[in-house]
Amino acid sequence: MNVMLIGAQGSGKGTQAQLLEDQLNLKACASGELLRDAIARGTPLGLAAKPYYDNGDLVPDDLVAGLVLERLKELGDASGIILDGFPRTIAQAEALDRLLAARGKTLDAVVEMQVDDDALVKRIAGRFTCAGCGEGYHDAFKTTKSPGVCDRCGSTQFVRRRDDTEEVVRSRLAAYHAQTEPLIDYYRHLGKLKTVDGMAEIGAVHRAIARALDGDKL
Ligand code: AMP
């Protein structure tokens, strides 16, 4: 089964994708991760994408579709995929249909995670992760037990995503409403849309998604 999660940045798509990966043996394809990796490695695609990424703007469709295609090839045809952050525009949705069709696949379900903008800004603008082990923290919601020391690995080095400032988060939310929300109607008309409350706690959101997908005979 091939599933896509749709929701504003910070709605918890990454966390839910990981839970679904483990539970349903799906492989994740997260466009934001693919872009961060390409930017960090300084590939030609990463260099072209960086100015858009740093501003919180959408990266041009052809660049992102190129990365997604590489990832699909890398994953092979053995397992289902869970798309996180792609597609974000109607043009990308059409490109995805073509990419999947060329591999004899289709997108089976789209799960919309509904969230509130102001709560999202609070959630995203306080995020940081341990540079040693990648454990995620938050200034208000999940601090380290001992100040400045990672609970999991003891590292004292932490990183913040450069696009996790309030200003950039507001700009990304505006991009989401303008460019990505139309996809919700697009997939509703195709009969693929499921909607869950993304503001609930992580386990409850996961159960709601699992229930929504179960109707599709996972
Ligand atoms: P994310 O990790 O999904 O929040 O994405 C972080 C940033 O990567 C976004 O603010 C965009 O600049 C860029 N990005 C990720 N996925 C896409 C996409 N499908 N289309 C265009 N830009 C994207």
Side-chain angles (χ1 to χ4, degrees):
M1 166 173 247
N2 303 307
V3 183
M4 173 208 169
L5 297 182
I6 186 168
Q9 296 84 343
S11 57
K13 297 189 301 290
T15 304
Q16 295 299 330
Q18 207 169 22
L19 292 171
L20 292 171
E21 249 191 312
D22 296 344
Q23 190 194 4
L24 304 174
N25 202 22
L26 301 175
K27 299 282 183 208
C29 176
S31 50
E33 285 298 323
L34 298 175
L35 280 164
R36 279 186 284 285
D37 181 60
I39 291 170
R41 286 190 292 122
T43 64
L45 221 145
L47 292 175
K50 189 172 182 303
Y52 300 94
Y53 182 98
D54 285 352
N55 252 344
D57 294 332
L58 288 187
V59 172
D61 292 336
D62 53 334
L63 296 182
V64 187
L67 280 175
V68 169
L69 175 60
E70 277 171 27
R71 175 74 177 144
L72 292 182
K73 283 186 184 155
E74 188 184 298
L75 291 177
D77 292 331
S79 59
I81 52 170
I82 179 148
L83 290 149
D84 163 9
F86 181 90
R88 261 176 161 90
T89 62
I90 299 280
Q92 289 182 11
E94 290 166 353
L96 175 67
D97 285 344
R98 287 192 296 273
L99 290 181
L100 290 175
R103 313 181 75 82
K105 296 181 177 202
T106 52
L107 184 60
D108 301 293
V110 173
V111 179
E112 177 199 4
M113 298 174 58
Q114 277 184 331
V115 285
D116 169 83
D117 276 16
D118 289 331
L120 270 191
V121 171
K122 253 193 221 148
R123 230 194 232 184
I124 304 178
R127 306 194 287 202
F128 62 99
T129 49
C130 170
C133 68
E135 181 74 2
Y137 293 98
H138 192 280
D139 292 328
F141 307 131
K142 188 188 167 195
T143 53
T144 54
K145 290 195 181 99
S146 166
V149 182
C150 175
D151 298 350
R152 194 161 122 199
C153 75
S155 165
T156 53
Q157 303 294 314
F158 296 90
V159 286
R160 286 178 192 264
R161 272 174 53 174
R162 70 173 87 229
D163 59 338
D164 273 355
T165 62
E166 173 156 359
E167 195 194 348
V168 174
V169 173
R170 294 260 177 221
S171 145
R172 286 158 65 196
L173 281 172
Y176 175 76
H177 291 304
Q179 288 157 295
T180 305
E181 258 176 11
L183 282 181
I184 290 170
D185 273 340
Y186 176 87
Y187 286 118
R188 184 178 289 121
H189 282 127
L190 292 175
K192 296 186 176 180
L193 190 74
K194 326 266 175 192
T195 301
V196 300
D197 172 14
M199 298 310 290
E201 64 75 33
I202 292 173
V205 177
H206 174 61
R207 288 190 293 280
I209 295 176
R211 268 197 309 276
L213 294 179
D214 196 40
D216 283 3
K217 306 258 181 309
L218 271 175

